[in-house]
Amino acid sequence: MAENARKKVTAPAVRSRLRSEGAEPLVMITAYDAPSARQVSAAGADMILVGDSLAMVVLGYDDTLQVTVDDMAHHTAAVARAKPHSLIVGDLPWMSYHVSVEETVRNAATLIRAGAEAVKLEGGRKRLPMIEAIVDAEIPVCGHLGLTPQSVHAMGGFKVQGKKADAAMELVEDAKALAHAGCFAIVLEGIPVRVAEMVTKAIDIPTIGIGAGPDCDGQVLVYHDILAIEDRFVPKFVRRYGDIGTASVDALSAFVADVRGQAFPNDDESYHMADDQADALGLYGS
Ligand code: KIV
């Protein structure tokens, strides 16, 4: 379908996309700038997540804790300028929704003013006052449970969550509370398939899995992982759909070789003066 013929995806439209009611699985892909947002939208994804994975895949940090609201707003604005048909979800970074309810709402508003159409935040029942306040400010909220990367130190590393029965039940209770608080969807990251299935069955809003198996209402992956833009650690749940990293290095190497071999630029790639003007300078033929 032509990009401009697509209908803009909205949070209420996502909210109604339950596989248990026959809906097609939702697709969310991260993007952090205008070209990647245009590509993700052209591919037909329902949602673009301007994720705080920005810290790791674009800015070169080892975890997501280093990005600020200003960083997220800067990249959200770049994504919004691409005018994607996909719903733009801006990730609230670590410490932007932990200090006070008032600060949380202001930070969510900063992402909305930058162009986000919804925000995402990590955590369960202890984040309820913040979630309720953002929803009350008319901002759609996506939850995020399970392996929540902003809790990397508290979890003792990027570890699969909910493997024990009691932890799985906590996740179900968290998901119910988030749905009740008004979230329009919940990302489930790094949890066993059976737990994701239980959570998905327990709530009436869509679950979007990443490392959570096939039974969620949708799936999300990071743009750089799908395209293999870099050959770094690849989590078990990633499937590569391209090898852009290798293609990029090959193309850049060809440019380096052409410059060194004086094969670039050629005549067609250069600007020329009219002959009479070259003559006037005594440069005939330049
Ligand atoms: O920041 C991000 O990219 C995310 C996804 C992994 C869900 O939160």
Side-chain angles (χ1 to χ4, degrees), residues 49 52 91 97 120-124 131 141-150 171 178 183 185-190 208 210:
L49 173 63
D52 62 355
D91 224 354
Y97 55 96
K120 176 172 84 59
L121 59 81
E122 298 181 4
I131 292 171
V141 180
C142 177
H144 185 160
L145 295 172
L147 193 174
T148 45
Q150 291 173 15
L171 277 174
L178 262 54
C183 286
I186 302 178
V187 168
L188 297 179
E189 178 165 358
I208 303 159
I210 174 162

Side-chain angles (χ1 to χ4, degrees), residues 272-273 275 278-279 283-286:
H272 300 282
M273 287 179 116
D275 288 351
D279 261 350
L283 300 170
Y284 183 75
S286 38

Side-chain angles (χ1 to χ4, degrees), residues 81-148:
R81 277 179 220 118
K83 298 194 176 21
H85 91 283
S86 326
L87 178 74
I88 304 173
V89 182
D91 224 354
L92 282 166
W94 180 62
M95 286 309 284
S96 69
Y97 55 96
H98 303 70
V99 177
S100 72
V101 168
E102 194 181 311
E103 219 177 278
T104 300
V105 177
R106 285 195 201 290
N107 288 329
T110 298
L111 295 194
I112 296 296
R113 289 202 170 121
E117 294 146 341
V119 298
K120 176 172 84 59
L121 59 81
E122 298 181 4
R125 280 160 286 178
K126 65 181 168 190
R127 302 293 167 220
L128 282 182
M130 278 61 171
I131 292 171
E132 281 163 358
I134 303 172
V135 170
D136 202 43
E138 315 297 348
I139 299 173
V141 180
C142 177
H144 185 160
L145 295 172
L147 193 174
T148 45

Side-chain angles (χ1 to χ4, degrees), residues 36-55:
S36 58
R38 270 192 283 272
Q39 290 166 5
V40 169
S41 182
D46 301 293
M47 286 168 278
I48 290 178
L49 173 63
V50 189
D52 62 355
S53 49
L54 164 76

Side-chain angles (χ1 to χ4, degrees), residues 12-79:
V14 169
R15 160 93 184 63
S16 67
R17 291 269 298 271
L18 295 171
R19 279 176 67 196
S20 60
E21 293 177 358
E24 207 179 28
L26 287 159
V27 184
M28 176 189 252
I29 303 175
T30 68
Y32 315 92
D33 56 21
S36 58
R38 270 192 283 272
Q39 290 166 5
V40 169
S41 182
D46 301 293
M47 286 168 278
I48 290 178
L49 173 63
V50 189
D52 62 355
S53 49
L54 164 76
M56 298 171 79
V57 298
V58 175
L59 301 180
Y61 293 112
D62 290 334
D63 58 45
T64 61
L65 307 180
Q66 309 302 328
V67 283
T68 63
V69 173
D70 286 347
D71 293 328
M72 295 307 302
H74 180 75
H75 286 267
T76 300
V79 165

